């Protein structure tokens, strides 16, 4: 986590009280063009001051302020001279720590609720007298602290909003960050612009300019190398670094033979021909298939692919002896989740098995402060094609983990054809951005009997997998329209030789995973 003050942008710190909402709040703040960072609730007032934020927002949290061990904040934060907005649990904490009363009313409030807005509120100034808001709380603030005013209420929250203009401390029981609170973003903006005086300078142009400047400063005239995978993150990172240092960057694209239809051509086309980036295209399919011969166990497959990938990358990097810097597409959520303030570590999951730790590179991570949606917008702004910028996640080990059984060139070719049909039909149905991932899995060791024309067939099944998800930690199977499923099944059976049956996977995660291996 960057712990230095960010001099280019006004910063709002979002204090995480354990709700999954903290990231959403931080994103909403950024959508209002104000830079935000998530910090743990153990942060002290001194640490906050040192970061020089223009405002602090307390997130919601799953605990009751009354239970033992419920997270609190250093009370000196309230006197740090920085405006505070508490949301849900954050609001209750403000009320409790400053001497108000939070009661166990015995009646929670969940979901959409009408809120009555009183006169003279600063946060709710432009809002009509009655407003739908999204609630999710059990305890309720029943009395604001001295010096605070209750300026809104709902049937089950007598103090739905509390304010002290003098101390510049505010609390909202509802969730302004969720889409179910239609005017929530206006409330946040009022806090950011009017109360904190934040300048809306976090724009795509300024993000790119700042990142480019930072990369230039870091690498000077050094040589930089980047492993392109075809995924969004490495693509945008490479494009940014190229904008910063042009010909000092060399990209290495290892074609494992396990990529999707047209993917390798697209990478070469986009980066080399279109953006003029120096690109080493290593065609290594034969080596991967040779290594995978006879391998059936999923973990063994992943390991084999990861190790070979590293070896090939090292061979390529060896030809660039003077390269000192390695680009990584680390994103802000990875930084938050790793929970450390350490210097960047190479992550393993998002590469094919991770890049070698003993390679003597300094990491360049131009996306380290960005959320995925920001990365996509930066990619668009840098002129990357939509198919790359909006590409669905794809596992590093590629199609190999979607062939259940031994991976052979034939099996991968079959799967690639089916996968291509899935992508085409999902795009045609306009569902590409609604589903998190949609793909085909080939059960290479299973055969079933069928009949086509007058012929008996004995072919392999394809399993369709389509899921909805926010972050891949949990997922639900996508309720694809029957017509889409029908078209997919009939096209795959008619067009892909060797496949005579299509099944749809209706397992959620958990208990399943998204991938089959
Ligand atoms: P699972 O199957 O664990 O997948 O539910 C969660 C998400 O991660 C992707 N995935 C990978 N991504 N390298 C990657 O970069 C990998 O080895 C890998 N394995 C799974 C998967 O596609 C899903 O989005």
């Amino acid at each position: 986590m960057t712990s230095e003050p960010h001099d280019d942008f006004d910063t709002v710190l979002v204090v995480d009280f354990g709700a999954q909402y903290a990231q959403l709040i931080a994103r909403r703040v950024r959508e209002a063009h104000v830079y935000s960072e998530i910090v743990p609730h153990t942060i002290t007032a001194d640490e906050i001051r040192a970061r020089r934020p223009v405002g602090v927002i307390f997130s919601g949290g799953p605990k009751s302020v009354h239970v033992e061990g419920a997270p609190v904040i250093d009370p000196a934060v309230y006197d740090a001279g920085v405006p505070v907005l508490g949301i849900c649990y954050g609001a209750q904490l403000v009320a409790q720590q400053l001497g108000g009363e939070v009661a166990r009313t015995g009646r929670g409030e969940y979901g959409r609720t009408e809120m009555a807005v009183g006169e003279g509120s600063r946060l709710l100034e432009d809002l009509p007298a009655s407003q739908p808001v999204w609630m999710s709380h059990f305890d309720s603030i029943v009395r604001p602290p001295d010096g605070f005013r209750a300026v809104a209420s709902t049937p089950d929250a007598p103090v739905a909003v509390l304010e002290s203009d003098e101390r510049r401390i505010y609390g909202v029981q509802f969730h302004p960050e969720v889409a179910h609170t239609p005017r929530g973003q206006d409330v946040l903006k009022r806090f950011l612009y009017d109360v904190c005086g934040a300048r809306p300078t976090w724009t795509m142009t300024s993000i790119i300019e700042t990142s480019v400047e930072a990369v230039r400063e870091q690498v000077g005239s050094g040589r930089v190398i980047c492993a392109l995978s075809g995924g969004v993150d490495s693509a945008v990172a490479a494009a940014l670094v190229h904008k910063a240092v042009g010909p000092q960057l060399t990209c290495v694209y290892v074609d494992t033979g396990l990529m999707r239809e047209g993917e390798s051509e697209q990478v070469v086309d986009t980066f080399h021909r279109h953006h003029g980036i120096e690109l080493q295209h290593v065609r290594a399919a034969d080596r991967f298939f040779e290594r995978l011969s006879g391998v059936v166990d999923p973990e063994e497959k992943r390991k084999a692919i990861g190790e070979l990938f590293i070896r090939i990358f090292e061979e390529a990097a060896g030809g660039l002896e003077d390269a000192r810097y390695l680009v990584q597409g680390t994103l802000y959520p990875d930084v938050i989740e790793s929970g450390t303030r350490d210097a960047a570590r190479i992550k393993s999951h998002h590469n094919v098995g991770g890049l070698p730790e003993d390679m003597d590179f300094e990491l360049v991570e131009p996306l380290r402060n960005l959320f995925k949606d920001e990365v996509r917008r930066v990619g668009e702004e840098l002129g990357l094609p939509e198919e790359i910028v909006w590409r669905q996640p794809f596992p590093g080990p590629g199609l190999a983990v979607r062939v259940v059984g031994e991976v052979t060139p034939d099996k991968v070719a079959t799967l690639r054809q089916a996968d291509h049909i899935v992508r085409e039909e999902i795009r045609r149905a306009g569902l590409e951005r609604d589903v998190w991932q949609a793909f085909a899995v080939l059960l290479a060791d299973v055969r079933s009997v069928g009949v086509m024309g007058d012929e008996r067939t004995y072919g392999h099944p394809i399993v369709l997998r389509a899921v909805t998800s926010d972050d891949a930690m949990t997922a639900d199977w996508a309720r694809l329209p029957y017509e889409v499923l029908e078209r997919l099944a009939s096209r795959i059976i008619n067009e892909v030789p060797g496949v005579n049956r299509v099944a749809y996977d209706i397992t959620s995660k958990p208990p399943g995973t998204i991938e089959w291996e």
Side-chain angles (χ1 to χ4, degrees):
M1 222 178 283
T2 25
S3 49
E4 296 295 307
H6 209 312
D7 289 329
D8 300 293
F9 300 102
D10 288 345
T11 301
V12 165
L13 298 180
V14 178
V15 181
D16 185 356
F17 283 100
Q20 68 276 42
Y21 292 122
Q23 285 200 27
L24 191 54
I25 295 168
R27 278 168 52 199
R28 292 281 179 260
V29 170
R30 291 184 183 199
E31 280 166 23
H33 306 297
V34 176
Y35 181 63
S36 63
E37 278 187 28
I38 296 175
V39 294
H41 65 84
T42 48
I43 193 166
T44 63
D46 285 342
E47 286 168 333
I48 286 187
R49 259 189 235 105
R51 307 277 287 265
R52 301 202 298 268
V54 296
V56 174
I57 299 179
F58 298 170
S59 82
K63 289 247 168 79
S64 157
V65 291
H66 295 294
V67 302
E68 199 154 320
V72 294
I73 189 110
D74 175 1
V77 167
Y78 298 111
D79 299 312
V82 183
V84 171
L85 171 65
I87 293 175
C88 194
Y89 179 86
Q92 298 184 358
L93 195 65
V94 167
Q96 198 197 36
Q97 286 190 306
L98 296 179
E101 192 185 340
V102 179
R104 292 169 154 147
T105 54
R107 281 214 313 267
E109 200 177 26
Y110 300 93
R112 188 181 287 263
T113 311
E114 256 335 274
M115 180 175 77
V117 178
E119 296 279 303
S121 159
R122 181 133 185 227
L123 283 186
L124 312 175
E125 203 170 287
D126 299 330
L127 265 52
S130 183
Q131 255 311 283
V133 293
W134 189 261
M135 288 289 195
S136 176
H137 64 107
F138 193 71
D139 296 340
S140 294
I141 306 168
V142 290
R143 184 173 54 77
D146 288 347
F148 280 75
R149 294 183 309 130
V151 294
S153 63
T154 67
D156 286 305
V159 184
V161 176
L162 63 158
E163 302 188 339
S164 166
D165 290 331
E166 199 187 326
R167 299 187 68 177
R168 296 196 298 168
I169 300 175
Y170 300 80
V172 295
Q173 181 63 68
F174 63 90
H175 287 277
E177 74 277 20
V178 305
H180 303 290
T181 300
R183 298 291 299 271
Q185 188 68 358
D186 293 331
V187 175
L188 276 179
K189 280 183 178 166
R190 172 120 353 239
F191 175 72
L192 296 170
Y193 302 153
D194 291 359
V195 177
C196 304
R199 293 164 302 164
T201 49
W202 182 253
T203 61
M204 277 308 121
T205 316
S206 64
I207 294 172
I208 292 172
E209 274 171 14
T210 316
S211 307
V212 161
E213 232 7 85
V215 172
R216 283 191 187 138
E217 199 165 302
Q218 185 186 359
V219 309
S221 58
R223 187 142 197 79
V224 191
I225 157 168
C226 174
L228 277 181
S229 68
V232 188
D233 306 342
S234 67
V236 175
L240 253 180
V241 173
H242 183 253
K243 190 174 167 69
V245 298
Q248 284 164 248
L249 171 72
T250 302
C251 289
V252 176
Y253 175 66
V254 178
D255 185 347
T256 59
L258 305 166
M259 322 303 283
R260 306 169 98 173
E261 179 72 34
E263 210 155 36
S264 297
E265 294 75 16
Q266 189 182 38
V267 169
V268 175
D269 212 59
T270 302
F271 288 91
H272 190 58
R273 296 206 192 94
H274 191 64
H275 284 260
I277 296 179
E278 185 174 326
L279 180 77
Q280 289 199 15
H281 180 183
V282 187
R283 291 179 183 77
D286 292 350
R287 291 176 69 179
F288 279 92
F289 283 120
E290 192 184 325
R291 179 66 188 80
L292 287 169
S293 156
V295 179
V296 173
D297 179 72
E299 279 310 302
E300 212 181 307
K301 256 185 212 175
R302 280 173 177 272
K303 212 163 143 245
I305 296 169
E307 281 169 5
L308 185 53
F309 184 91
I310 289 169
R311 195 162 327 133
I312 293 172
F313 183 77
E314 273 172 335
E315 286 167 17
L320 298 160
E321 280 152 19
D322 54 339
R324 275 193 47 213
Y325 299 93
L326 178 69
V327 179
Q328 286 276 288
T330 316
L331 305 193
Y332 190 46
D334 306 323
V335 177
I336 304 168
E337 272 149 37
S338 74
T340 66
R341 290 167 185 231
D342 301 347
R345 275 183 301 128
I346 296 175
K347 52 182 176 162
S348 56
H349 192 66
H350 291 265
N351 295 297
V352 189
L355 290 173
E357 304 225 8
D358 55 356
M359 285 178 88
D360 201 13
F361 284 121
E362 190 181 315
L363 293 184
V364 179
E365 301 181 296
L367 313 179
R368 215 177 141 69
N369 288 328
L370 304 185
F371 287 109
K372 189 89 176 185
D373 41 349
E374 294 174 320
V375 169
R376 292 205 156 109
R377 274 184 287 134
V378 167
E380 282 175 337
E381 190 82 13
L382 292 172
L384 292 176
E386 190 177 320
E387 305 96 84
I388 288 188
V389 170
W390 286 97
R391 180 162 287 169
Q392 291 177 353
F394 184 61
L399 296 177
V401 292
R402 294 179 182 169
V403 172
V404 180
E406 189 189 4
V407 180
T408 65
D410 287 351
K411 295 278 159 46
V412 170
T414 301
L415 177 60
R416 184 180 291 123
Q417 234 179 317
D419 178 76
H420 183 57
I421 294 171
V422 175
R423 286 205 292 168
E424 207 167 74
E425 290 300 333
I426 292 289
R427 196 176 319 128
R428 200 169 282 167
L431 294 169
E432 209 175 20
R433 294 190 195 184
D434 296 335
V435 296
W436 174 264
Q437 275 171 292
F439 56 87
V441 175
L442 176 69
L443 304 188
D445 289 340
V446 177
R447 298 181 109 187
S448 75
V449 174
V451 55
M452 272 176 110
D454 291 328
E455 300 271 336
R456 176 184 183 279
T457 61
Y458 191 45
H460 296 287
I462 281 282
V463 176
L464 295 176
R465 181 84 167 131
V467 296
T468 53
S469 177
D470 286 325
D471 54 9
M473 301 298 286
T474 59
D476 198 5
W477 59 280
R479 271 54 171 181
L480 292 183
Y482 279 170
E483 313 81 71
V484 174
L485 287 171
E486 184 182 5
R487 210 159 35 244
L488 279 170
S490 76
R491 273 197 65 191
I492 289 171
I493 290 165
N494 288 328
E495 296 174 34
V496 185
V499 174
N500 66 347
R501 204 172 278 268
V502 171
Y504 190 46
D505 182 351
I506 54 167
T507 318
S508 61
K509 172 184 179 174
T513 51
I514 295 177
E515 302 290 344
W516 269 51
E517 292 197 333

